[in-house]
Amino acid sequence: IKRRCEILNSFFLRDLQRVAQHISKLNKNSSLSRYLSAAPLGHRTDVAKPSPELWASVAPKSLPLGRWQHAPTHNNALMKQLAVNEYASGKHSLFAVNGPPGTGKTTLVKDVVAAAVVARALKLVRYRSADDAFEKKSVSCEVDRSRFVVRKLKRDLVGFEVVIASSNNNAVENITRQLPKRSGLGECFQGSAYLPEVARLYEDIRT
């Protein structure tokens, strides 16, 4: 593998070598192992061609209950909505979406975030009080060299986290800047934005 990597001459050689070294140690049933393994031919779906599987994935019943408050006239393209629906379905512990420049990755991530927030809210409303959402057991954590003791969240309230990673720092920065901004909402929704004071303050600071 080392000799082959020298021939490849890529900026990612060391990362590829680390992956090659650790992949043999993975549990075959782990999410990462399944992600890195090629799907059997019989289990692949060509989403560029109409099929019962494709129509089922984009049917109205497959839409997530939460959607970013874009302008009502702005709808996702079919493949973009398919990606959002597949995320919201909960069928995949790990999957990837290829998004070339200019294809609307930021709007896709916004819909993913909205779907996660609503799905978590549906869990939260089952508790009678905020205190009920935490385990009795406490854990210790360190943040900026300060140690805190906090109570753990109930298990059904975790798993909605969204991690954004990119080889292009500007792409991630653009997304994290746009999420809190009131102007990132459709005009008809800006007056009723969630935590409008925070959104307005954020915009004032950025400008």
Side-chain angles (χ1 to χ4, degrees):
I1 291 177
K2 184 176 181 181
R3 179 57 183 165
R4 291 178 180 176
C5 287
E6 290 174 351
I7 295 174
L8 287 174
N9 190 24
S10 165
F11 288 110
F12 305 103
L13 288 186
R14 292 183 179 177
D15 293 331
L16 292 172
Q17 287 176 331
R18 289 176 61 191
V19 170
Q21 291 169 1
H22 290 283
I23 195 170
S24 60
K25 303 176 183 178
L26 288 174
N27 182 337
K28 292 184 178 180
N29 293 321
S30 68
S31 299
L32 182 59
S33 179
R34 294 198 303 270
Y35 174 74
L36 293 175
S37 302
L41 291 176
H43 293 79
R44 300 182 186 182
T45 301
D46 186 349
V47 296
K49 298 179 180 179
S51 66
E53 293 81 7
L54 174 62
W55 299 132
S57 296
V58 295
K61 67 179 181 180
S62 298
L63 291 170
L65 296 177
R67 176 183 184 269
W68 190 265
Q69 293 176 317
H70 304 291
T73 54
H74 294 172
N75 298 313
N76 285 330
L78 181 65
M79 291 297 102
K80 191 186 296 184
Q81 191 62 55
L82 171 65
V84 175
N85 291 0
E86 285 296 302
Y87 159 78
S89 70
K91 295 184 295 185
H92 311 281
S93 53
L94 181 65
F95 78 111
V97 178
N98 181 36
T103 55
K105 294 183 291 296
T106 300
T107 55
L108 186 151
V109 171
K110 286 180 177 180
D111 274 351
V112 166
V113 169
V117 169
V118 173
R120 191 166 187 246
L122 292 175
K123 300 285 187 180
L124 283 168
V125 296
R126 299 177 183 178
Y127 296 102
R128 298 184 63 182
S129 70
D131 189 64
D132 294 336
F134 295 90
E135 301 281 2
K136 294 181 179 180
K137 183 179 179 181
S138 298
V139 294
S140 176
C141 62
E142 186 173 330
V143 180
D144 295 333
R145 298 183 179 179
S146 297
R147 185 161 293 278
F148 301 89
V149 177
V150 296
R151 292 170 58 192
K152 296 176 63 175
L153 281 171
K154 294 285 181 67
R155 290 183 62 86
D156 62 338
L157 295 178
V158 298
F160 300 99
E161 301 80 10
V162 177
V163 177
I164 302 174
S166 171
S167 59
N168 180 346
N169 289 337
N170 290 333
V172 172
E173 186 177 5
N174 290 340
I175 292 173
T176 52
R177 282 186 174 186
Q178 288 189 32
L179 283 177
K181 295 175 69 174
R182 187 176 53 160
S183 57
L185 303 174
E187 187 175 350
C188 61
F189 296 115
Q190 291 182 11
S192 58
Y194 177 60
L195 297 178
E197 295 81 7
V198 176
R200 192 177 299 111
L201 177 62
Y202 179 86
E203 288 187 324
D204 291 342
I205 293 173
R206 300 303 306 182
T207 56

PDB file of all heavy atoms in Angstrom, residues 68 110 174-185 193-196 198-203 206:
ATOM      1  N   TRP A  68     -37.092  23.849   6.442  1.00  0.00           N
ATOM      2  CA  TRP A  68     -36.580  25.193   6.657  1.00  0.00           C
ATOM      3  C   TRP A  68     -37.568  26.191   6.059  1.00  0.00           C
ATOM      4  O   TRP A  68     -38.193  25.926   5.029  1.00  0.00           O
ATOM      5  CB  TRP A  68     -35.221  25.346   5.999  1.00  0.00           C
ATOM      6  CG  TRP A  68     -34.528  26.624   6.393  1.00  0.00           C
ATOM      7  CD1 TRP A  68     -34.537  27.800   5.709  1.00  0.00           C
ATOM      8  CD2 TRP A  68     -33.748  26.833   7.568  1.00  0.00           C
ATOM      9  NE1 TRP A  68     -33.806  28.737   6.379  1.00  0.00           N
ATOM     10  CE2 TRP A  68     -33.298  28.185   7.530  1.00  0.00           C
ATOM     11  CE3 TRP A  68     -33.373  26.038   8.646  1.00  0.00           C
ATOM     12  CZ2 TRP A  68     -32.504  28.738   8.527  1.00  0.00           C
ATOM     13  CZ3 TRP A  68     -32.584  26.579   9.633  1.00  0.00           C
ATOM     14  CH2 TRP A  68     -32.156  27.912   9.575  1.00  0.00           C
ATOM     15  N   LYS A 110     -29.893  23.091   5.489  1.00  0.00           N
ATOM     16  CA  LYS A 110     -30.921  23.778   6.263  1.00  0.00           C
ATOM     17  C   LYS A 110     -32.139  22.880   6.460  1.00  0.00           C
ATOM     18  O   LYS A 110     -32.717  22.831   7.551  1.00  0.00           O
ATOM     19  CB  LYS A 110     -31.330  25.074   5.567  1.00  0.00           C
ATOM     20  CG  LYS A 110     -30.307  26.194   5.674  1.00  0.00           C
ATOM     21  CD  LYS A 110     -30.798  27.440   4.962  1.00  0.00           C
ATOM     22  CE  LYS A 110     -29.833  28.602   5.121  1.00  0.00           C
ATOM     23  NZ  LYS A 110     -30.316  29.817   4.427  1.00  0.00           N
ATOM     24  N   ASN A 174     -19.772  29.326   5.261  1.00  0.00           N
ATOM     25  CA  ASN A 174     -20.981  29.917   4.686  1.00  0.00           C
ATOM     26  C   ASN A 174     -22.239  29.354   5.342  1.00  0.00           C
ATOM     27  O   ASN A 174     -23.189  30.083   5.641  1.00  0.00           O
ATOM     28  CB  ASN A 174     -21.027  29.659   3.176  1.00  0.00           C
ATOM     29  CG  ASN A 174     -19.974  30.459   2.427  1.00  0.00           C
ATOM     30  OD1 ASN A 174     -19.463  31.442   2.942  1.00  0.00           O
ATOM     31  ND2 ASN A 174     -19.642  30.026   1.227  1.00  0.00           N
ATOM     32  N   ILE A 175     -22.245  28.045   5.569  1.00  0.00           N
ATOM     33  CA  ILE A 175     -23.417  27.403   6.170  1.00  0.00           C
ATOM     34  C   ILE A 175     -23.613  27.870   7.604  1.00  0.00           C
ATOM     35  O   ILE A 175     -24.716  28.258   8.011  1.00  0.00           O
ATOM     36  CB  ILE A 175     -23.275  25.869   6.113  1.00  0.00           C
ATOM     37  CG1 ILE A 175     -23.360  25.389   4.661  1.00  0.00           C
ATOM     38  CG2 ILE A 175     -24.351  25.198   6.957  1.00  0.00           C
ATOM     39  CD1 ILE A 175     -23.071  23.926   4.478  1.00  0.00           C
ATOM     40  N   THR A 176     -22.536  27.881   8.392  1.00  0.00           N
ATOM     41  CA  THR A 176     -22.667  28.258   9.799  1.00  0.00           C
ATOM     42  C   THR A 176     -23.005  29.738   9.953  1.00  0.00           C
ATOM     43  O   THR A 176     -23.616  30.139  10.951  1.00  0.00           O
ATOM     44  CB  THR A 176     -21.365  27.945  10.567  1.00  0.00           C
ATOM     45  OG1 THR A 176     -20.249  28.541   9.882  1.00  0.00           O
ATOM     46  CG2 THR A 176     -21.133  26.444  10.633  1.00  0.00           C
ATOM     47  N   ARG A 177     -22.619  30.554   8.987  1.00  0.00           N
ATOM     48  CA  ARG A 177     -22.983  31.961   9.043  1.00  0.00           C
ATOM     49  C   ARG A 177     -24.446  32.183   8.676  1.00  0.00           C
ATOM     50  O   ARG A 177     -25.104  33.073   9.219  1.00  0.00           O
ATOM     51  CB  ARG A 177     -22.095  32.773   8.090  1.00  0.00           C
ATOM     52  CG  ARG A 177     -20.711  33.058   8.629  1.00  0.00           C
ATOM     53  CD  ARG A 177     -19.966  33.978   7.685  1.00  0.00           C
ATOM     54  NE  ARG A 177     -18.690  34.403   8.228  1.00  0.00           N
ATOM     55  CZ  ARG A 177     -17.894  35.299   7.647  1.00  0.00           C
ATOM     56  NH1 ARG A 177     -18.253  35.861   6.507  1.00  0.00           N
ATOM     57  NH2 ARG A 177     -16.749  35.638   8.210  1.00  0.00           N
ATOM     58  N   GLN A 178     -24.953  31.382   7.748  1.00  0.00           N
ATOM     59  CA  GLN A 178     -26.306  31.611   7.260  1.00  0.00           C
ATOM     60  C   GLN A 178     -27.381  31.047   8.181  1.00  0.00           C
ATOM     61  O   GLN A 178     -28.477  31.595   8.249  1.00  0.00           O
ATOM     62  CB  GLN A 178     -26.467  31.010   5.864  1.00  0.00           C
ATOM     63  CG  GLN A 178     -25.730  31.769   4.775  1.00  0.00           C
ATOM     64  CD  GLN A 178     -26.088  31.280   3.389  1.00  0.00           C
ATOM     65  OE1 GLN A 178     -27.207  30.850   3.136  1.00  0.00           O
ATOM     66  NE2 GLN A 178     -25.129  31.327   2.478  1.00  0.00           N
ATOM     67  N   LEU A 179     -27.076  29.995   8.897  1.00  0.00           N
ATOM     68  CA  LEU A 179     -28.098  29.355   9.734  1.00  0.00           C
ATOM     69  C   LEU A 179     -28.746  30.297  10.746  1.00  0.00           C
ATOM     70  O   LEU A 179     -29.965  30.298  10.905  1.00  0.00           O
ATOM     71  CB  LEU A 179     -27.511  28.125  10.445  1.00  0.00           C
ATOM     72  CG  LEU A 179     -27.335  26.874   9.590  1.00  0.00           C
ATOM     73  CD1 LEU A 179     -26.683  25.771  10.415  1.00  0.00           C
ATOM     74  CD2 LEU A 179     -28.666  26.372   9.040  1.00  0.00           C
ATOM     75  N   PRO A 180     -27.983  31.131  11.475  1.00  0.00           N
ATOM     76  CA  PRO A 180     -28.630  31.983  12.487  1.00  0.00           C
ATOM     77  C   PRO A 180     -29.252  33.266  11.931  1.00  0.00           C
ATOM     78  O   PRO A 180     -29.923  33.979  12.666  1.00  0.00           O
ATOM     79  CB  PRO A 180     -27.466  32.338  13.436  1.00  0.00           C
ATOM     80  CG  PRO A 180     -26.282  31.569  12.963  1.00  0.00           C
ATOM     81  CD  PRO A 180     -26.533  31.241  11.551  1.00  0.00           C
ATOM     82  N   LYS A 181     -29.025  33.578  10.655  1.00  0.00           N
ATOM     83  CA  LYS A 181     -29.448  34.865  10.130  1.00  0.00           C
ATOM     84  C   LYS A 181     -30.935  34.887   9.778  1.00  0.00           C
ATOM     85  O   LYS A 181     -31.452  33.952   9.162  1.00  0.00           O
ATOM     86  CB  LYS A 181     -28.621  35.222   8.886  1.00  0.00           C
ATOM     87  CG  LYS A 181     -27.152  35.445   9.160  1.00  0.00           C
ATOM     88  CD  LYS A 181     -26.359  35.685   7.900  1.00  0.00           C
ATOM     89  CE  LYS A 181     -26.704  37.010   7.262  1.00  0.00           C
ATOM     90  NZ  LYS A 181     -25.817  37.302   6.107  1.00  0.00           N
ATOM     91  N   ARG A 182     -31.593  35.947  10.174  1.00  0.00           N
ATOM     92  CA  ARG A 182     -32.999  36.109   9.849  1.00  0.00           C
ATOM     93  C   ARG A 182     -33.207  36.223   8.348  1.00  0.00           C
ATOM     94  O   ARG A 182     -34.210  35.753   7.809  1.00  0.00           O
ATOM     95  CB  ARG A 182     -33.559  37.348  10.554  1.00  0.00           C
ATOM     96  CG  ARG A 182     -35.062  37.500  10.420  1.00  0.00           C
ATOM     97  CD  ARG A 182     -35.573  38.673  11.202  1.00  0.00           C
ATOM     98  NE  ARG A 182     -34.856  39.906  10.855  1.00  0.00           N
ATOM     99  CZ  ARG A 182     -35.331  41.117  11.099  1.00  0.00           C
ATOM    100  NH1 ARG A 182     -36.480  41.263  11.712  1.00  0.00           N
ATOM    101  NH2 ARG A 182     -34.637  42.180  10.765  1.00  0.00           N
ATOM    102  N   SER A 183     -32.238  36.814   7.661  1.00  0.00           N
ATOM    103  CA  SER A 183     -32.349  36.965   6.212  1.00  0.00           C
ATOM    104  C   SER A 183     -32.254  35.629   5.486  1.00  0.00           C
ATOM    105  O   SER A 183     -32.538  35.548   4.291  1.00  0.00           O
ATOM    106  CB  SER A 183     -31.251  37.905   5.695  1.00  0.00           C
ATOM    107  OG  SER A 183     -29.954  37.418   6.050  1.00  0.00           O
ATOM    108  N   GLY A 184     -31.854  34.569   6.203  1.00  0.00           N
ATOM    109  CA  GLY A 184     -31.817  33.246   5.604  1.00  0.00           C
ATOM    110  C   GLY A 184     -33.180  32.599   5.508  1.00  0.00           C
ATOM    111  O   GLY A 184     -33.319  31.510   4.959  1.00  0.00           O
ATOM    112  N   LEU A 185     -34.203  33.267   6.055  1.00  0.00           N
ATOM    113  CA  LEU A 185     -35.579  32.786   5.973  1.00  0.00           C
ATOM    114  C   LEU A 185     -36.294  33.458   4.808  1.00  0.00           C
ATOM    115  O   LEU A 185     -35.883  34.516   4.331  1.00  0.00           O
ATOM    116  CB  LEU A 185     -36.333  33.092   7.270  1.00  0.00           C
ATOM    117  CG  LEU A 185     -35.741  32.551   8.563  1.00  0.00           C
ATOM    118  CD1 LEU A 185     -36.531  33.080   9.749  1.00  0.00           C
ATOM    119  CD2 LEU A 185     -35.731  31.030   8.564  1.00  0.00           C
ATOM    120  N   ALA A 193     -39.615  34.747  13.029  1.00  0.00           N
ATOM    121  CA  ALA A 193     -38.449  33.878  13.169  1.00  0.00           C
ATOM    122  C   ALA A 193     -38.299  33.402  14.609  1.00  0.00           C
ATOM    123  O   ALA A 193     -38.620  34.108  15.559  1.00  0.00           O
ATOM    124  CB  ALA A 193     -37.189  34.629  12.742  1.00  0.00           C
ATOM    125  N   TYR A 194     -37.793  32.205  14.758  1.00  0.00           N
ATOM    126  CA  TYR A 194     -37.520  31.666  16.089  1.00  0.00           C
ATOM    127  C   TYR A 194     -36.387  32.475  16.710  1.00  0.00           C
ATOM    128  O   TYR A 194     -35.352  32.699  16.076  1.00  0.00           O
ATOM    129  CB  TYR A 194     -37.129  30.193  15.971  1.00  0.00           C
ATOM    130  CG  TYR A 194     -36.745  29.542  17.283  1.00  0.00           C
ATOM    131  CD1 TYR A 194     -37.656  29.472  18.328  1.00  0.00           C
ATOM    132  CD2 TYR A 194     -35.489  28.998  17.475  1.00  0.00           C
ATOM    133  CE1 TYR A 194     -37.320  28.875  19.534  1.00  0.00           C
ATOM    134  CE2 TYR A 194     -35.146  28.390  18.665  1.00  0.00           C
ATOM    135  CZ  TYR A 194     -36.066  28.339  19.690  1.00  0.00           C
ATOM    136  OH  TYR A 194     -35.726  27.745  20.878  1.00  0.00           O
ATOM    137  N   LEU A 195     -36.573  32.953  17.956  1.00  0.00           N
ATOM    138  CA  LEU A 195     -35.596  33.799  18.627  1.00  0.00           C
ATOM    139  C   LEU A 195     -35.177  34.976  17.727  1.00  0.00           C
ATOM    140  O   LEU A 195     -33.998  35.138  17.386  1.00  0.00           O
ATOM    141  CB  LEU A 195     -34.355  32.992  19.028  1.00  0.00           C
ATOM    142  CG  LEU A 195     -34.578  31.859  20.030  1.00  0.00           C
ATOM    143  CD1 LEU A 195     -33.275  31.120  20.300  1.00  0.00           C
ATOM    144  CD2 LEU A 195     -35.154  32.388  21.338  1.00  0.00           C
ATOM    145  N   PRO A 196     -36.133  35.804  17.297  1.00  0.00           N
ATOM    146  CA  PRO A 196     -35.812  36.898  16.361  1.00  0.00           C
ATOM    147  C   PRO A 196     -34.785  37.875  16.904  1.00  0.00           C
ATOM    148  O   PRO A 196     -33.979  38.423  16.149  1.00  0.00           O
ATOM    149  CB  PRO A 196     -37.174  37.571  16.141  1.00  0.00           C
ATOM    150  CG  PRO A 196     -37.994  37.202  17.341  1.00  0.00           C
ATOM    151  CD  PRO A 196     -37.537  35.829  17.718  1.00  0.00           C
ATOM    152  N   VAL A 198     -32.211  37.228  18.770  1.00  0.00           N
ATOM    153  CA  VAL A 198     -30.879  36.646  18.597  1.00  0.00           C
ATOM    154  C   VAL A 198     -30.452  36.747  17.133  1.00  0.00           C
ATOM    155  O   VAL A 198     -29.310  37.111  16.819  1.00  0.00           O
ATOM    156  CB  VAL A 198     -30.859  35.176  19.058  1.00  0.00           C
ATOM    157  CG1 VAL A 198     -29.492  34.551  18.791  1.00  0.00           C
ATOM    158  CG2 VAL A 198     -31.213  35.080  20.536  1.00  0.00           C
ATOM    159  N   ALA A 199     -31.373  36.442  16.221  1.00  0.00           N
ATOM    160  CA  ALA A 199     -31.055  36.505  14.795  1.00  0.00           C
ATOM    161  C   ALA A 199     -30.711  37.928  14.378  1.00  0.00           C
ATOM    162  O   ALA A 199     -29.760  38.165  13.624  1.00  0.00           O
ATOM    163  CB  ALA A 199     -32.238  35.982  13.974  1.00  0.00           C
ATOM    164  N   ARG A 200     -31.465  38.884  14.892  1.00  0.00           N
ATOM    165  CA  ARG A 200     -31.225  40.287  14.543  1.00  0.00           C
ATOM    166  C   ARG A 200     -29.879  40.754  15.106  1.00  0.00           C
ATOM    167  O   ARG A 200     -29.111  41.450  14.429  1.00  0.00           O
ATOM    168  CB  ARG A 200     -32.364  41.154  15.077  1.00  0.00           C
ATOM    169  CG  ARG A 200     -32.373  42.579  14.527  1.00  0.00           C
ATOM    170  CD  ARG A 200     -33.580  43.358  15.032  1.00  0.00           C
ATOM    171  NE  ARG A 200     -34.828  42.748  14.625  1.00  0.00           N
ATOM    172  CZ  ARG A 200     -35.683  42.151  15.461  1.00  0.00           C
ATOM    173  NH1 ARG A 200     -35.416  42.091  16.749  1.00  0.00           N
ATOM    174  NH2 ARG A 200     -36.798  41.624  15.010  1.00  0.00           N
ATOM    175  N   LEU A 201     -29.577  40.352  16.344  1.00  0.00           N
ATOM    176  CA  LEU A 201     -28.314  40.721  16.963  1.00  0.00           C
ATOM    177  C   LEU A 201     -27.147  40.111  16.191  1.00  0.00           C
ATOM    178  O   LEU A 201     -26.124  40.762  15.970  1.00  0.00           O
ATOM    179  CB  LEU A 201     -28.282  40.255  18.422  1.00  0.00           C
ATOM    180  CG  LEU A 201     -26.985  40.515  19.205  1.00  0.00           C
ATOM    181  CD1 LEU A 201     -26.716  42.015  19.293  1.00  0.00           C
ATOM    182  CD2 LEU A 201     -27.076  39.910  20.595  1.00  0.00           C
ATOM    183  N   TYR A 202     -27.313  38.871  15.769  1.00  0.00           N
ATOM    184  CA  TYR A 202     -26.257  38.191  15.012  1.00  0.00           C
ATOM    185  C   TYR A 202     -25.964  38.947  13.719  1.00  0.00           C
ATOM    186  O   TYR A 202     -24.811  39.157  13.359  1.00  0.00           O
ATOM    187  CB  TYR A 202     -26.684  36.759  14.701  1.00  0.00           C
ATOM    188  CG  TYR A 202     -25.673  35.977  13.900  1.00  0.00           C
ATOM    189  CD1 TYR A 202     -24.632  35.305  14.531  1.00  0.00           C
ATOM    190  CD2 TYR A 202     -25.744  35.920  12.511  1.00  0.00           C
ATOM    191  CE1 TYR A 202     -23.684  34.583  13.804  1.00  0.00           C
ATOM    192  CE2 TYR A 202     -24.808  35.214  11.773  1.00  0.00           C
ATOM    193  CZ  TYR A 202     -23.788  34.551  12.432  1.00  0.00           C
ATOM    194  OH  TYR A 202     -22.866  33.853  11.706  1.00  0.00           O
ATOM    195  N   GLU A 203     -27.012  39.366  13.027  1.00  0.00           N
ATOM    196  CA  GLU A 203     -26.821  40.081  11.776  1.00  0.00           C
ATOM    197  C   GLU A 203     -26.126  41.419  12.014  1.00  0.00           C
ATOM    198  O   GLU A 203     -25.280  41.845  11.241  1.00  0.00           O
ATOM    199  CB  GLU A 203     -28.160  40.290  11.073  1.00  0.00           C
ATOM    200  CG  GLU A 203     -28.723  39.003  10.491  1.00  0.00           C
ATOM    201  CD  GLU A 203     -29.967  39.253   9.645  1.00  0.00           C
ATOM    202  OE1 GLU A 203     -30.751  40.149  10.015  1.00  0.00           O
ATOM    203  OE2 GLU A 203     -30.136  38.579   8.639  1.00  0.00           O
ATOM    204  N   ARG A 206     -22.414  40.749  12.550  1.00  0.00           N
ATOM    205  CA  ARG A 206     -21.733  40.357  11.329  1.00  0.00           C
ATOM    206  C   ARG A 206     -21.525  41.511  10.380  1.00  0.00           C
ATOM    207  O   ARG A 206     -20.572  41.522   9.590  1.00  0.00           O
ATOM    208  CB  ARG A 206     -22.495  39.237  10.610  1.00  0.00           C
ATOM    209  CG  ARG A 206     -22.676  37.961  11.410  1.00  0.00           C
ATOM    210  CD  ARG A 206     -21.393  37.366  11.878  1.00  0.00           C
ATOM    211  NE  ARG A 206     -20.436  37.126  10.816  1.00  0.00           N
ATOM    212  CZ  ARG A 206     -19.244  36.566  11.001  1.00  0.00           C
ATOM    213  NH1 ARG A 206     -18.864  36.215  12.212  1.00  0.00           N
ATOM    214  NH2 ARG A 206     -18.421  36.369   9.996  1.00  0.00           N
TER     215      ARG A 206
END
